[in-house]
């Protein structure tokens, strides 16, 4: 009886997963937009959720060459 109560209290509820999905979308969308402007795939934004790989990805992005004009990059707003 006591074991059942403990496992029920330790699980994540429906509200937790809804909040997780909202916060993940709020994090991934702007990261994906920045990566698109740099000429990279926005799917690299998933690295933001992987421990240690997110720091490595940040360092790679910080030191890579960014495009100057951006006219030839899909998804980049025209000037």
């Amino acid at each position: 009886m006591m074991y059942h109560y403990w496992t029920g209290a330790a699980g994540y509820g429906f509200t937790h997963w809804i909040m997780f999905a909202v916060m993940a979308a709020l994090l991934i969308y702007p990261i994906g937009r920045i990566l698109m402007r740099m000429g990279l795939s926005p799917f690299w934004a998933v690295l933001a959720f992987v421990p240690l790989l997110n720091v490595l990805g940040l360092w790679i992005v910080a030191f890579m060459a960014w495009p100057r004009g951006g006219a030839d990059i899909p998804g980049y707003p025209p000037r």
Side-chain angles (χ1 to χ4, degrees), residues 5 7 12-14 16 18 22 24 27 29 34 36-37 41 43 47 49 54-59 69-70 73-75:
Y5 174 73
T7 58
Y12 295 110
F14 180 71
H16 171 267
I18 294 295
V22 168
L27 179 69
Y29 181 72
I34 292 169
M36 265 192 342
R37 289 182 181 183
S41 171
F43 293 111
L47 281 180
F49 289 109
N54 55 7
V55 177
L56 178 67
L58 181 64
W59 276 87
I73 299 173

Side-chain angles (χ1 to χ4, degrees), residues 34-35 38 40 53-68:
I34 292 169
L35 290 172
M38 293 175 58
L40 299 173
L53 284 181
N54 55 7
V55 177
L56 178 67
L58 181 64
W59 276 87
I60 291 171
V61 166
F63 290 104
M64 70 180 288
W66 287 41
R68 298 271 186 232

